[in-house]
Amino acid sequence: MKEVSLKDKDLDPRLEKQVENARKSLNKNPAYAVDILMNIVGRNPGCLEARKILRQAQHRANKKTRGSALTVFFTNLLVNKFFTKFDFGSNRKAVESSAVEGLGSAEKKLKVNPDDIAAHKRLGMNAEALDLWGTAAFAYEEIRRIEPGNIHNIKALMKAYIEIGKNEEAIGIGEFAYKANPADSEIESLVKKASVAQTIEKGKWQEEKSFREKLKDEEEALRLEQSGRAKTGESVTRALIENTLEAVGKEPDNLNHYRNLAANYRKLGEFENALEWVNRARKTEAGMADVNFERLSMMIHREKMTVAQVEQEAILDQDPENSVARATLEKLKAEEHVYRRKAAADLVQRYPNEFSYRYELGELLFQDGEVDAAIKELQLALRAPKIRVQALVLLGKAYKDKKFYDLAAEQFETAKSEIGGINDDKKEVLYELGTCFELQGDMDKAMDQYKALYGADIGYRDVAQKVDDFYSRKNA
């Protein structure tokens, strides 16, 4: 399914007129606008513009009809109580049917309370299932407005932004979230992915013969050029860099100038220049005490390595038998791992009480098969509240690797108790905990975990097969 635009006349003209009437009714009669737009998005789930106007109407109508705070609380409690993630199955037709139904169900809940986070989440998940990534991004933006610190939602929003090409926005919210969660490798990975996509897109832009050829309408191209709007994103960034370089000369101790230079050079894919300005910042008196520049240096180094790897992967996509590209790619991956491990070890040595750094070092040690050394770091990483659950999970895996299944189960049990609701982290914990009980021969306890996971996500790994096999043996 694709998203339709009123601007491009993708919608039936009669429905366009209804949307416009609803827009005009927002202030005087928002409830009327809600009724019109609910019908339109129900029949045209890909019309994002109508959905955005609907959300405005719901907010305004809700202000006029909202009862007491207590009434709203219990209404949302009832709505959220029955919110579960759909299992869409493997049939595409069934997927679309269930997802469209899910969008409608979410909108009904938002009609009651436009700030219902569970309903926005449901809207986003079902939009993803329909490849309506603009709609998914809109849903996750609403959650971010209500709960700006919701890290799972920030990741979902970053993924949606990357899908629709809003890579700069993804990088922006990702870097902000990464400062608060420095050991969250998924956020770092998403920032890298967005940066790579941005770099590749910039390259595609430059490969075109001219700006004029990007536009079908020659007259429109001329109008844009004459009005000065034909400036590319690169030229704007270059201008910002020039302005900031002047500012550095006037205020050499202002670290914001160094940050801006590094950010803009990253945007252009000029990683060496970005690193140069980060290193200059670290030589200033204030920069020496700012650990964020150290982390930024590491991120840029890794971005540079990732882009180099993507270039080799692109060659292999075109020529899978290219042995030079394959060898280069393997070498780049090995160099990245060595760099990450050395950087993590340096951070731990210099900041021994910054326990989040212990997690990254422990993760890398575990990957290298140095399990005992990894356990030592992960036990200390448990003291960092922001990455405690991640450390518990990895510590459990390390114990499991040593066949200390009872100790492993203890870590997963603790992690399970500290994760609210059902998300990807909770699913992994349930599966790992079930595996530990199974390896100890306690199938009853194992099945308690597998069945809980089965009820939340039947398609998770091989949990369906495990449950089916258990009941087959039991019935036999």
Side-chain angles (χ1 to χ4, degrees):
M1 185 175 291
K2 70 173 186 174
E3 279 162 328
V4 297
S5 169
L6 297 179
K7 182 181 177 182
D8 295 333
K9 306 295 182 184
D10 290 333
L11 204 61
D12 185 297
R14 291 169 296 181
L15 291 178
E16 286 181 31
K17 190 170 182 180
Q18 288 183 34
V19 172
E20 189 55 36
N21 288 338
R23 196 198 304 268
K24 291 176 181 177
S25 303
L26 280 176
N27 291 323
K28 293 182 179 179
N29 194 351
Y32 168 72
V34 169
D35 289 339
I36 291 177
L37 293 163
M38 288 281 286
N39 181 52
I40 291 173
V41 298
R43 291 162 55 192
N44 302 271
C47 189
L48 177 55
E49 190 172 345
R51 199 178 295 280
K52 288 183 176 181
I53 302 169
L54 170 59
R55 198 70 68 246
Q56 294 178 49
Q58 287 169 336
H59 276 288
R60 295 181 190 188
N62 195 257
K63 284 181 182 177
K64 291 188 176 184
T65 61
R66 183 176 294 172
S68 69
L70 193 62
T71 302
V72 173
F73 171 78
F74 281 111
T75 301
N76 286 327
L77 189 65
L78 287 170
V79 167
N80 293 335
K81 181 179 179 182
F82 298 103
F83 171 64
T84 55
K85 182 176 180 181
F86 286 136
D87 165 41
F88 293 128
S90 57
N91 184 283
R92 185 63 202 171
K93 217 167 188 179
V95 168
E96 291 195 357
S97 177
S98 296
V100 169
E101 183 182 339
L103 292 177
S105 178
E107 288 295 356
K108 287 177 183 176
K109 292 173 173 59
L110 291 168
K111 183 179 180 181
V112 176
N113 175 22
D115 286 340
D116 185 332
I117 290 175
H120 284 299
K121 176 64 176 173
R122 185 174 200 167
L123 184 72
M125 291 185 331
N126 284 286
E128 286 184 24
L130 292 166
D131 291 327
L132 299 175
W133 287 99
T135 301
F138 175 54
Y140 300 140
E141 285 169 344
E142 287 290 284
I143 296 175
R144 186 165 180 249
R145 173 183 60 79
I146 302 162
E147 269 191 4
N150 185 326
I151 198 67
H152 291 292
N153 178 67
I154 287 173
K155 293 176 188 177
L157 179 55
M158 289 178 71
K159 290 172 186 174
Y161 276 160
I162 292 168
E163 287 288 341
I164 60 178
K166 295 177 75 171
N167 297 300
E168 188 170 346
E169 288 86 344
I171 293 167
I173 62 172
E175 289 181 341
F176 179 80
Y178 191 71
K179 286 179 183 178
N181 303 270
D184 195 320
S185 57
E186 187 179 0
I187 294 176
E188 186 177 8
S189 176
L190 286 168
V191 170
K192 285 167 60 180
K193 184 176 180 181
S195 298
V196 170
Q198 189 178 55
T199 302
I200 291 172
E201 190 58 37
K202 170 181 160 290
K204 287 179 181 176
W205 178 272
Q206 290 175 330
E207 285 169 11
E208 299 289 343
K209 293 180 182 177
S210 70
F211 174 73
R212 185 184 296 276
E213 290 180 1
K214 289 179 176 296
L215 303 170
K216 296 178 181 178
D217 191 334
E218 291 277 332
E219 291 181 2
E220 176 68 359
L222 180 60
R223 186 184 70 78
L224 289 174
E225 289 166 0
Q226 288 174 341
S227 64
R229 289 174 59 194
K231 260 190 172 182
T232 66
E234 179 176 348
S235 65
V236 172
T237 305
R238 296 278 180 204
L240 288 172
I241 288 172
E242 290 301 318
N243 291 338
T244 311
L245 287 170
E246 291 179 14
V248 170
K250 296 174 183 176
E251 299 178 309
D253 294 326
N254 189 332
L255 294 181
N256 288 328
H257 298 327
Y258 296 88
R259 288 190 185 94
N260 291 336
L261 284 167
N264 284 318
Y265 277 124
R266 281 175 76 187
K267 195 180 294 183
L268 295 172
E270 297 179 8
F271 300 115
E272 291 299 334
N273 287 334
L275 287 168
E276 179 186 346
W277 284 100
V278 171
N279 290 334
R280 287 193 188 189
R282 292 175 66 186
K283 290 176 182 177
T284 65
E285 186 176 348
M288 288 178 186
D290 193 336
V291 70
N292 288 322
F293 278 108
E294 196 161 6
R295 295 292 301 183
L296 181 57
S297 176
M298 290 172 61
M299 285 184 68
I300 296 172
H301 268 294
R302 290 175 63 178
E303 266 180 48
K304 178 184 172 185
M305 294 174 181
T306 300
V307 169
Q309 290 173 36
V310 168
E311 289 172 354
Q312 298 304 313
E313 287 168 353
I315 295 172
L316 288 169
D317 285 342
Q318 298 297 318
D319 180 12
E321 303 303 318
N322 192 316
S323 59
V324 175
R326 189 167 300 283
T328 303
L329 179 60
E330 292 305 314
K331 181 184 177 184
L332 288 169
K333 287 182 176 180
E335 287 174 352
E336 181 185 25
H337 184 83
V338 170
Y339 171 80
R340 286 182 62 196
R341 179 162 166 174
K342 182 180 183 304
D346 287 346
L347 285 170
V348 165
Q349 185 175 8
R350 288 158 60 189
Y351 307 100
N353 294 323
E354 185 60 57
F355 297 109
S356 59
Y357 298 146
R358 303 272 183 177
Y359 174 80
E360 186 165 6
L361 180 57
E363 182 181 36
L364 293 164
L365 289 166
F366 183 65
Q367 289 173 7
D368 287 341
E370 298 178 35
V371 182
D372 288 333
I375 288 173
K376 178 184 174 183
E377 300 300 334
L378 293 169
Q379 286 173 337
L380 290 168
L382 294 176
R383 302 180 191 178
K386 289 178 181 176
I387 50 94
R388 175 176 162 78
V389 170
Q390 293 164 271
L392 280 166
V393 173
L394 193 53
L395 184 57
K397 290 180 179 178
Y399 284 139
K400 193 175 84 167
D401 190 78
K402 289 179 69 69
K403 297 183 170 54
F404 297 169
Y405 302 127
D406 54 341
L407 289 175
E410 286 178 16
Q411 312 311 310
F412 295 129
E413 286 276 22
T414 304
K416 177 184 170 183
S417 69
E418 295 185 15
I419 301 174
I422 291 287
N423 55 32
D424 290 342
D425 292 336
K426 186 69 163 277
K427 291 175 191 175
E428 181 182 19
V429 167
L430 287 170
Y431 189 89
E432 292 290 350
L433 183 54
T435 303
C436 284
F437 287 138
E438 187 175 356
L439 289 167
Q440 292 179 81
D442 192 338
M443 283 307 298
D444 288 335
K445 282 188 176 180
M447 288 312 301
D448 286 342
Q449 311 309 315
Y450 292 145
K451 284 189 282 188
L453 180 52
Y454 183 94
D457 186 353
I458 192 175
Y460 190 84
R461 299 194 196 179
D462 61 344
V463 71
Q465 188 63 51
K466 286 179 178 292
V467 173
D468 287 345
D469 290 346
F470 174 78
Y471 279 108
S472 295
R473 290 193 299 270
K474 186 176 181 181
N475 293 331

